[in-house]
């Protein structure tokens, strides 16, 4: 007969074996169940990017000749004293805009007032002498008629009267000169423009003449000139295109567009108003300048800029937005979307930029060029296309 301890031990061992078999069965069934679930799930769709395209356009395009130059004032004046003396007052603030005729400097006028008074006194004396000589001449003419004096005495009286009259003219000229010198003690602006600093301070003695130290400088602001040089090759090309009139004949009729250094647009418009009459033998260039408005005073003499001038208008140019252009080292290319919405690469040659659109060789009109989402595409990739009208694409290109 089994005791209770043996019975309980057998029951425990049987329970443990049964539990182990159940656990083993569950471990075997779970992987089989998960694999079946995964096999029944649908596959994920590949990502297809959306890109914006621009249809390459065929337009009349203009070839531009480009020139580098700098701005110069139409009028630039070194202000110098016309009479010598001590500088009493400076009547302007450095850097301000002055108008033609504004008072700039005052020189001590007292020495010139004294000279004017002396000249006026000489005139009074000359008039008195002329009056006396005229009376003596009249008396001599009467006595000569009566035979009381000789002809030589009469001639002497006539000579004295002429000398007295000349003395009046000389005294009057001295007065005019003295008044002019007195007027020159007030130095006025000869032109309208922006004035520089005063080179001579109040209390200094200033000298007159072209070799004297300038008192200040004035440069005109509006209009302003843009000075540039035309190469001999460019000059001959204009001769080829326009015959005898050449560059000089057509330049005045062609508008010019100028942009500042670092600027994005040729926003300043002008017109050529001067072309030199010979080429510089040292540089082989022909000097010219355009004149343009500068109402806001943005353009300052001495600034550099770039100017373009329409050389020739051509037809059938293909244009695309500038932002569609990609670079592969020295090679330029664009991404093309074909009828199946497949991406391909097309190498292009770049020409001038016109209103945000780049003239290129290597494309046909109507081909769809990718202008946005460029980082999402590659050769052979499938894309979704969002069409863009020309005007909209131009705005995109300019952003």
């Amino acid at each position: 007969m089994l005791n209770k301890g043996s019975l309980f031990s057998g029951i425990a061992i049987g329970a443990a074996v049964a539990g182990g078999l159940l656990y083993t069965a569950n471990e075997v069934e779970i992987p089989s169940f998960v694999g079946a679930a995964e096999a029944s799930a649908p596959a994920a769709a590949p990502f297809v990017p959306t890109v914006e395209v621009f249809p390459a356009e065929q337009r009349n395009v203009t070839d531009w000749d480009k020139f580098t130059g700098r701005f110069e004032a139409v009028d630039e004046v070194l202000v110098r004293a016309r009479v010598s003396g001590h500088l009493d007052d400076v009547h302007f603030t450095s850097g301000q805009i002055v108008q033609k005729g504004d008072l700039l400097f005052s020189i001590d006028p007292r020495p010139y007032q004294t000279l004017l008074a002396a000249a006026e006194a000489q005139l009074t004396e000359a008039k008195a002498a002329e009056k006396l000589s005229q009376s003596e001449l009249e008396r001599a003419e009467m006595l000569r008629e009566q035979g009381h004096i000789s002809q030589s005495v009469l001639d002497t009286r006539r000579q004295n009267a002429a000398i007295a009259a000349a003395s009046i003219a000389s005294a009057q000229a001295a007065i005019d000169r003295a008044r002019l010198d007195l007027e020159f003690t007030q130095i006025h602006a000869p032109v309208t423009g922006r004035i520089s600093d005063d080179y001579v301070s109040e209390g200094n003695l200033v000298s007159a003449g072209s070799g004297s130290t300038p008192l200040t400088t004035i440069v005109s602001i509006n209009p302003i000139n843009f000075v540039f040089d035309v190469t001999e090759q460019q000059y001959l090309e204009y001769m080829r295109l326009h015959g005898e009139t050449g560059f000089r004949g057509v330049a005045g009729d062609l508008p010019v567009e100028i942009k500042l250094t670092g600027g994005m647009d040729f926003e300043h418009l002008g017109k050529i108003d001067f072309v030199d009459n010979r080429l510089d033998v040292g540089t082989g260039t022909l000097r010219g300048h355009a004149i343009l408005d500068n109402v806001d005073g943005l353009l300052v003499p001495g600034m550099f800029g770039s100017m373009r001038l329409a050389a020739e208008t051509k037809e059938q140019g293909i244009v695309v937005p500038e932002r569609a252009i990609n670079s592969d080292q020295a090679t330029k290319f664009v991404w093309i979307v074909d009828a199946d919405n497949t991406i391909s690469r097309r190498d292009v040659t770049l020409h001038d930029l016109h209103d945000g659109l780049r003239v290129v060789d290597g494309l046909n009109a109507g081909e769809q060029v990718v202008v946005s989402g460029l980082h999402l595409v590659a050769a052979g990739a499938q894309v979704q296309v969002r069409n863009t009208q020309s005007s909209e694409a131009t705005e995109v290109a300019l952003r």
Side-chain angles (χ1 to χ4, degrees):
M1 187 175 199
L2 297 173
N3 57 24
K4 293 181 178 179
S6 298
L7 179 62
F8 288 148
S9 297
I11 293 172
I13 292 170
V17 170
L21 292 175
L22 179 61
Y23 176 78
T24 301
N26 288 339
E27 286 294 309
V28 171
E29 292 297 328
I30 287 175
S32 176
F33 174 78
V34 171
E38 289 179 348
S40 63
F47 172 70
V48 179
T50 299
V51 297
E52 192 173 36
V53 297
F54 172 85
E57 289 189 356
Q58 190 171 6
R59 295 186 180 183
N60 293 340
V61 296
T62 301
D63 283 343
W64 298 88
D65 282 333
K66 296 181 180 179
F67 309 90
T68 300
R70 61 186 177 87
F71 293 95
E72 289 185 357
V74 174
D75 296 313
E76 182 173 351
V77 180
L78 290 174
V79 180
R80 287 185 169 90
R82 302 179 71 173
V83 294
S84 300
H86 282 86
L87 192 63
D88 276 351
D89 293 299
V90 178
H91 302 279
F92 65 89
T93 301
S94 300
Q96 77 175 80
I97 302 296
V98 296
Q99 302 298 318
K100 182 177 181 179
D102 286 354
L103 180 62
L104 304 179
F105 300 95
S106 295
I107 295 174
D108 185 4
R110 292 173 296 176
Y112 300 98
Q113 291 171 343
T114 302
L115 293 175
L116 176 59
E120 290 174 341
Q122 289 176 358
L123 178 60
T124 302
E125 181 180 351
K127 287 181 178 180
E130 193 271 339
K131 185 177 181 180
L132 176 59
S133 63
Q134 189 64 34
S135 298
E136 291 179 346
L137 174 59
E138 293 174 356
R139 188 179 304 110
E141 290 175 343
M142 182 182 63
L143 293 175
R144 176 57 183 162
E145 291 177 357
Q146 297 174 358
H148 297 303
I149 61 173
S150 64
Q151 182 64 38
S152 62
V153 173
L154 177 60
D155 292 340
T156 301
R157 299 291 173 83
R158 286 175 177 172
Q159 183 182 13
N160 292 338
I163 293 174
S167 298
I168 293 177
S170 177
Q172 184 61 56
I175 290 176
D176 294 340
R177 175 59 186 272
R179 285 176 177 169
L180 192 60
D181 287 344
L182 182 60
E183 181 182 337
F184 288 157
T185 62
Q186 304 288 303
I187 302 174
H188 299 267
V191 296
T192 297
R194 190 177 299 279
I195 197 166
S196 181
D197 194 7
D198 53 317
Y199 304 151
V200 181
S201 302
E202 298 176 5
N204 282 286
L205 179 65
V206 297
S207 300
S210 59
S212 62
T213 301
L215 302 180
T216 189
T217 304
I218 302 176
V219 294
S220 61
I221 298 175
N222 184 39
I224 193 169
N225 284 332
F226 183 81
V227 180
F228 62 95
D229 292 317
V230 181
T231 66
E232 185 174 353
Q233 181 179 359
Q234 290 171 325
Y235 178 79
L236 293 176
E237 182 65 17
Y238 274 93
M239 292 293 292
R240 182 186 67 81
L241 293 174
H242 303 286
E244 294 181 358
T245 58
F247 181 79
R248 185 174 288 101
V250 300
D253 299 326
L254 298 177
V256 299
E257 302 175 3
I258 300 172
K259 72 174 181 179
L260 302 181
T261 301
M264 298 298 295
D265 299 320
F266 289 85
E267 56 184 335
H268 303 283
L269 305 180
K271 186 175 181 180
I272 294 177
D273 67 339
F274 169 77
V275 178
D276 209 345
N277 58 2
R278 64 183 183 88
L279 272 72
D280 187 294
V281 295
T283 62
T285 58
L286 186 69
R287 176 61 56 91
H289 62 64
I291 190 167
L292 58 158
D293 291 332
N294 188 31
V295 178
D296 56 4
L298 172 66
L299 306 176
V300 178
M303 294 176 63
F304 282 86
S306 298
M307 184 189 85
R308 66 182 186 182
L309 178 66
E312 185 179 8
T313 299
K314 298 181 179 180
E315 298 182 354
Q316 313 302 321
I318 301 298
V319 296
V320 296
E322 176 74 2
R323 66 181 302 180
I325 309 298
N326 299 275
S327 296
D328 182 5
Q329 295 183 352
T331 304
K332 302 297 182 180
F333 69 93
V334 296
W335 295 114
I336 302 295
V337 180
D338 61 18
D340 297 330
N341 288 350
T342 302
I343 295 292
S344 63
R345 168 175 161 163
R346 184 76 57 80
D347 292 344
V348 294
T349 302
L350 306 186
H351 296 287
D352 288 334
L353 187 66
H354 296 266
D355 300 326
L357 300 177
R358 176 69 68 175
V359 181
V360 299
D361 290 336
L363 292 177
N364 298 317
E367 289 188 302
Q368 302 294 313
V369 179
V370 179
V371 295
S372 70
L374 299 172
H375 62 291
L376 301 175
V377 302
Q382 290 289 317
V383 295
Q384 299 181 44
V385 174
R386 184 172 66 217
N387 292 320
T388 301
Q389 298 298 323
S390 299
S391 60
E392 295 176 356
T394 300
E395 295 176 359
V396 169
L398 294 175
R399 285 199 298 267

